């Protein structure tokens, strides 16, 4: 289940954010120029101090392999130790490792971002996600890892409004959507940590917040985890409602691990409650008889 979570949630983050980062060389990283005044949103985009710095950044950012991008970022940071653009390179490397599902490498890049900017919500969420999903019962430092993940995720909730970097001209609805996505992911991480700690009432609350923070595209994994949290508290009828929702949301990926887990939980709750599974959302209504 935890491995499936990494694939579902982290890839979603990478897809949303990398689209912004690909605009960074032109929109965020160029030497400062006069631009139409607009209300401040989040942090000022990083800027190059010299043309040489900007040219070196573009060369480094052109790497598409995550390991090559990481090395290029380190080389750039060594050459320009005060550059604001270091954050962009490490953040892009973090997302590239996310896409490749290399969680430990991604966490390493996230930590490099946080060393330069401890309030960066994307890195806070990314590192917290790995700590939540890759911590095992047998880990000697389990409690410390979960404590750190909790601290980082809570801080991400605090800094999402003030510390995202938005390319100039980004529509407000897209900014609001992305903030909602970050909050939703942070609450999901907090719910996962509380579920791991068997604090099911607390995990229920966080999974509800995760769904509410991004209602236009609720994460089916958060919905399933909410069902599981309710199940653990023996709130079976309500748990079945969310298990049915998770099954409906994963209908298009029947062979996936998440779809299978959703069906298993739904079937378990149907047996416990004597309830019925929801009809597939894609099933057409029968035609009226003449």
């Amino acid at each position: 289940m935890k491995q499936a979570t990494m694939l579902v949630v982290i890839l979603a983050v990478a897809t949303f954010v990398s689209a912004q980062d690909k605009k960074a060389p032109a929109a965020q990283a160029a030497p400062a120029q006069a631009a139409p005044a607009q209300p401040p949103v989040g942090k000022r985009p990083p800027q190059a101090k010299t043309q040489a710095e900007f040219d070196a950044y573009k060369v480094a950012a052109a790497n598409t392999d995550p390991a090559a991008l990481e090395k290029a970022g380190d080389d750039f940071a060594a050459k320009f130790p005060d550059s604001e653009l270091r954050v962009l390179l490490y953040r892009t490397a973090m997302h590239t490792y996310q896409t490749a599902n290399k969680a430990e490498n991604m966490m390493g890049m996230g930590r490099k971002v946080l060393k330069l900017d401890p309030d960066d919500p994307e890195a806070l969420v990314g590192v917290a996600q790995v700590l939540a999903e890759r911590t095992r019962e047998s880990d000697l430092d389990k409690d410390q890892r979960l404590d750190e993940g909790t601290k980082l995720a809570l801080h991400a909730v605090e800094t999402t409004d003030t510390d995202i970097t938005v390319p100039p001209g980004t529509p407000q609805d897209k900014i609001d959507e992305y903030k909602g996505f970050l909050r939703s992911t942070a609450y999901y991480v907090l719910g996962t940590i509380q579920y791991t700690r068997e604090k099911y009432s607390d995990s229920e609350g966080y999974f509800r917040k995760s769904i509410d923070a991004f209602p236009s595209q609720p994460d089916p994994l958060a919905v399933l985890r909410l069902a599981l949290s309710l199940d653990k508290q023996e709130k079976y009828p309500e748990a079945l409602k969310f298990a049915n929702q998770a099954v409906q949301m994963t209908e298009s990926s029947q062979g996936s691990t998440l779809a299978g887990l959703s069906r298993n939980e739904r079937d378990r709750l149907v047996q416990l409650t004597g309830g019925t599974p929801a009809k597939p959302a894609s099933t057409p209504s029968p035609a009226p008889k003449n």
Side-chain angles (χ1 to χ4, degrees):
M1 180 181 298
K2 293 181 181 180
Q3 184 176 5
T5 303
M6 286 295 296
L7 289 170
V8 173
V9 178
I10 283 184
L11 286 178
V13 175
T15 299
F16 198 109
V17 180
S18 63
Q20 300 300 325
D21 278 342
K22 288 177 181 177
K23 299 176 183 178
Q28 297 181 357
Q33 297 178 355
Q38 64 177 25
V41 179
K43 287 185 175 178
R44 173 181 64 79
Q47 296 175 343
K49 299 178 179 65
T50 67
Q51 188 63 45
E53 177 190 346
F54 182 48
D55 291 342
Y57 166 82
K58 289 191 293 182
V59 171
N63 288 279
T64 56
D65 176 77
L69 182 56
E70 177 182 355
K71 183 179 185 305
D74 288 339
D75 292 343
F76 177 87
K79 187 174 182 180
F80 300 97
D82 298 323
S83 174
E84 297 177 5
L85 307 187
R86 294 171 296 163
V87 167
L88 289 180
L89 289 173
Y90 288 138
R91 189 191 298 153
T92 303
M94 178 181 72
H95 297 316
T96 307
Y97 276 126
Q98 285 179 328
T99 303
N101 197 33
K102 294 184 176 180
E104 296 300 324
N105 299 91
M106 183 274 284
M107 183 166 67
M109 291 299 94
R111 290 194 185 282
K112 287 188 177 183
V113 173
L114 294 177
K115 186 175 181 180
L116 297 171
D117 181 1
D119 299 319
D120 186 295
E122 295 172 25
L124 288 166
V125 167
V127 175
Q129 178 81 32
V130 178
L131 291 168
E133 294 294 345
R134 295 300 175 97
T135 298
R136 301 289 181 259
E137 286 291 335
S138 58
D139 291 339
L140 296 178
D141 60 346
K142 172 189 171 183
D143 289 338
Q144 293 92 323
R145 285 171 63 89
L146 295 180
D147 285 345
E148 182 186 6
T150 299
K151 180 180 178 181
L152 294 176
L154 287 171
H155 195 42
V157 174
E158 296 171 347
T159 62
T160 290
D161 271 333
T162 57
D163 287 84
I164 62 170
T165 301
V166 180
T170 303
Q172 185 61 47
D173 62 329
K174 296 300 181 184
I175 296 172
D176 294 340
E177 184 179 14
Y178 186 50
K179 286 181 178 180
F181 182 82
L182 284 174
R183 287 192 200 95
S184 177
T185 307
Y187 285 132
Y188 167 82
V189 169
L190 291 165
T192 298
I193 290 172
Q194 294 306 310
Y195 189 90
T196 299
R197 286 177 157 161
E198 301 182 357
K199 296 182 178 181
Y200 301 119
S201 177
D202 291 339
S203 67
E204 173 195 342
Y206 280 126
F207 289 131
R208 289 186 188 277
K209 285 185 176 182
S210 175
I211 295 167
D212 291 344
F214 198 38
S216 62
Q217 296 182 45
D219 181 356
L221 190 48
V223 174
L224 175 58
R225 286 281 178 88
L226 175 54
L228 291 166
S229 297
L230 291 164
D231 185 348
K232 291 291 188 179
Q233 298 174 79
E234 300 183 358
K235 300 177 180 179
Y236 300 131
E238 189 176 11
L240 177 57
K241 180 183 74 171
F242 287 104
N244 274 325
Q245 183 180 347
V247 170
Q248 290 178 324
M249 295 174 73
T250 56
E251 283 176 351
S252 61
S253 54
Q254 287 295 326
S256 71
T257 301
L258 180 56
L261 292 169
S262 299
R263 290 194 301 271
N264 290 343
E265 176 64 6
R266 186 270 317 272
D267 293 346
R268 164 187 155 77
L269 291 166
V270 166
Q271 290 183 341
L272 284 171
T273 64
T276 57
K279 294 181 179 180
S282 58
T283 301
S285 302
K289 295 181 180 180
N290 295 327

